[in-house]
Amino acid sequence: MSTPPLDPHYPVAHLRPPRNWVNDPNGLVFHDGYYHVSYQYNPYGATHANLHWGHFRSPDLLSWEPLPIALSPTPGGVDGDGCFSGNAVTDGDRLVAFYSAHLVARSPQHQPVTCAVSHNGGTTFRPRGELLIPELPEGCTMYRDPYVWRDVDGWRMLVGAALADGRAATLLYDSPDLETWTYRGPFVARHPEPIGDTLELTGEGWECPQYLPAAGGQAALIFSTWTEPTGPMRVAALIGEEQDGHFKAGAPVWADHGPDCYAPALLRAPGGRWLLWGWSWEARDQAWAVAGGWAGVLTVPREIHVGGDGTLRQRPATELLALRGERTVQAEGTTHGPEPVQLGSVGRAFDLTARLEPTGTAGLRLLTTPDGSEYLDIRLDPDAGELVVDRDHASLDTRAHGGAYRMPCPTGQPVDLRMVVDHSIAEVFLTSTGQVLTLRFYPTGQGAWRLQARTAPGTRLRYVVDAWELHPLVIKTPTAGAAEQY
Ligand code: FRU
């Protein structure tokens, strides 16, 4: 079994195998007492190629057991060049995984749907061997990523698409038995339009559609925006309701305000709870990741729902509280500046809560070198009504990406934050609004990390900040069948 690399940027409280390339979470399902998390995985290197479905399962979201690779491309088969993304459903004693079959010779943008079945709790899957839905509907210029769910009277499927008329779409199918699928037309199709209050557009195509059905309120359609020639962009959602096979929704909103979350996927957990994991890609030069032998990580599992006010709300899964260890910061006070207030030291993986009440621009700084030249800033800008996460100085290594990212933040009331930081990933949750911003950063400093509270001139900040060490996930020793692939 390979062990995780001794790499200062390797996350320990986030799920991924010890080596190689990871992208989208796939096949998320609760079956027979276990949460199953598969993911796009290249067993041969740290680049996006040779895509298989790696596979973990967990009874509690804290300890994870690597299972054998769930799906592998069949040489000469319908998925010979890759088992691309999709999801899985539980049906009696069966787990059925639906995925996008990739063959370069077919077309770079047409990955038809196929499936594989497991009768042993996901230990092994038997691929169908032929396509389940061979043809793509007329007028599609991109087609992939099935999402299947059980509805009142049967099964339904969405597939991500781009249409020749310039609209991005999710296409709707239904089936009485998971075997025979009937195409019902676009569930939603939209020309590119701005997301939230930003100028960024919803893209030419949508990958990895996910459907969060209404639970007494509104439903959410989450999708990953894709545009030629850049490809994957960001993640957005439509909130609305279904009427006769069409999803009626308002303006698109962000599903994550950060630059480094893509292809998030849903899991329907027991008790009506919905969980979501995203793929957090590397935000550094590819050669750096390849030299380290790994790339990509899954976000923490997040509880997600549509609030009574019609907004998409996320927070870390409750179980993650059990990863909290020693409380290393417990600070409370008021500062007028101009000197920053030292709040205490944190490890390279920590869970933080903060209540901030600023009269102007103020926030927290995570310093990652002793001389303070390298830092990640989390700033409240009440004039703009935004929370800003700024990584322009977060790495002295020029191969790390910079940029400042924003999410709306109500003013005139205390701001409650939760941050899960793990070596090279920060997930910043605005507790009051349920919004989240994910980004990667690559500190180079060798010493202890420190937290400060800071204010702009003339600003007063009242703060309560607590931070706990974050314990690593427990990754079990893989079973014999899984060990050599892991
Ligand atoms: C999203 C995506 C999917 C595709 C998979 C291939 O990141 O491009 O659309 O199925 O990744 O790895």
Side-chain angles (χ1 to χ4, degrees):
M1 173 194 169
S2 36
T3 47
L6 290 172
D7 178 329
H9 303 118
Y10 187 85
V12 297
H14 286 75
L15 195 58
R16 55 153 292 127
R19 312 219 160 266
N20 301 325
W21 169 273
V22 164
N23 62 292
D24 316 352
N26 292 150
L28 304 181
V29 63
F30 188 85
H31 178 79
D32 202 15
Y34 290 98
Y35 299 91
H36 288 261
V37 173
S38 289
Y39 51 90
Q40 290 281 279
Y41 178 51
N42 175 5
Y44 310 113
T47 56
H48 185 252
N50 308 308
L51 288 156
H52 295 53
W53 280 27
H55 192 181
F56 286 103
R57 72 173 182 180
S58 169
D60 56 8
L61 302 176
L62 300 170
S63 84
W64 292 89
E65 178 188 354
L67 292 182
I69 283 179
L71 304 178
S72 305
T74 306
V78 294
D79 57 7
D81 293 320
C83 299
F84 276 11
S85 289
N87 81 336
V89 296
T90 169
D91 179 34
D93 73 336
R94 305 194 300 165
L95 267 181
V96 189
F98 294 85
Y99 65 101
S100 311
H102 179 49
L103 257 193
V104 177
R106 189 184 294 121
S107 148
Q109 299 306 343
H110 177 205
Q111 283 87 28
V113 178
T114 189
C115 62
V117 179
S118 173
H119 288 281
N120 54 12
T123 305
T124 55
F125 283 82
R126 185 171 43 79
R128 182 182 182 83
E130 56 190 47
L131 297 175
L132 181 64
I133 305 177
E135 301 300 330
L136 75 175
E138 212 174 307
C140 277
T141 54
M142 181 267 253
Y143 181 95
R144 55 176 161 269
D145 305 338
Y147 176 82
V148 177
W149 76 103
R150 192 195 288 270
D151 207 5
V152 253
D153 48 4
W155 299 90
R156 307 176 92 195
M157 178 195 289
L158 294 177
V159 179
L163 305 181
D165 65 8
R167 289 180 301 165
T170 59
L171 310 177
L172 180 65
Y173 294 78
D174 58 32
S175 168
D177 55 6
L178 295 176
E179 184 59 33
T180 315
W181 290 90
T182 306
Y183 179 51
R184 300 294 180 194
F187 192 51
V188 201
R190 293 205 179 188
H191 287 287
E193 61 188 307
I195 306 171
D197 292 332
T198 67
L199 298 174
E200 288 184 55
L201 301 178
T202 46
E204 291 162 11
W206 293 346
E207 299 186 311
C208 304
Q210 307 284 308
Y211 191 57
L212 180 61
Q218 292 184 292
L221 178 74
I222 300 168
F223 52 91
S224 295
T225 67
W226 176 92
T227 292
E228 289 277 32
T230 19
M233 310 281 290
R234 302 278 291 273
V235 285
L238 292 169
I239 313 293
E241 55 190 61
E242 184 190 342
Q243 285 170 13
D244 304 326
H246 298 283
F247 193 63
K248 308 283 181 204
V253 296
W254 291 110
D256 191 301
H257 295 262
D260 301 325
C261 179
Y262 196 71
L266 290 169
L267 183 148
R268 180 182 206 137
R273 181 168 74 143
W274 286 83
L275 297 172
L276 174 136
W277 281 258
W279 163 37
S280 193
W281 51 41
E282 298 301 312
R284 52 177 169 163
D285 284 3
Q286 192 186 37
W288 185 3
V290 169
W294 65 278
V297 62
L298 302 189
T299 65
V300 293
R302 302 167 179 179
E303 292 169 9
I304 183 166
H305 73 283
V306 179
D309 59 355
T311 60
L312 196 60
R313 303 179 77 95
Q314 300 177 56
R315 63 173 186 196
T318 313
E319 284 88 336
L320 298 188
L321 293 173
L323 293 180
R324 284 183 180 173
E326 188 193 342
R327 174 152 42 169
T328 60
V329 173
Q330 187 171 16
E332 183 169 354
T334 303
T335 174
H336 294 80
E339 290 304 314
V341 181
Q342 310 298 332
L343 302 177
S345 298
V346 286
R348 279 156 199 265
F350 64 91
D351 186 353
L352 173 146
T353 57
R355 167 164 283 207
L356 303 175
E357 296 174 68
T359 58
T361 299
L364 302 176
R365 176 168 289 184
L366 173 65
L367 298 110
T368 54
T369 51
D371 67 357
S373 58
E374 189 181 77
Y375 53 87
L376 180 73
D377 264 341
I378 298 98
R379 252 186 336 258
L380 297 171
D381 179 347
D383 293 337
E386 287 174 336
L387 180 141
V388 183
V389 185
D390 183 344
R391 68 177 177 197
D392 269 340
H393 301 275
S395 182
L396 298 178
D397 193 315
T398 53
R399 296 171 300 170
H401 301 176
Y405 300 89
R406 296 153 189 281
M407 63 180 153
C409 181
T411 53
Q413 62 189 72
V415 175
D416 287 314
L417 281 181
R418 170 104 179 260
M419 269 173 63
V420 180
V421 175
D422 185 5
H423 293 81
S424 62
I425 179 169
E427 293 172 74
V428 182
F429 295 84
L430 243 181
T431 309
S432 30
T433 63
Q435 301 299 296
V436 54
L437 188 157
T438 303
L439 58 63
R440 304 293 303 275
F441 70 116
Y442 302 90
T444 64
Q446 307 284 319
W449 290 1
R450 292 174 290 138
L451 276 171
Q452 290 178 343
R454 301 175 74 91
T455 59
T459 296
R460 188 163 52 87
L461 171 69
R462 187 167 155 64
Y463 58 86
V464 182
V465 181
D466 292 283
W468 296 259
E469 183 192 339
L470 197 57
H471 288 311
L473 295 172
V474 174
I475 308 289
K476 292 192 174 166
T477 305
T479 52
E484 66 277 7
Q485 306 163 336
Y486 185 66

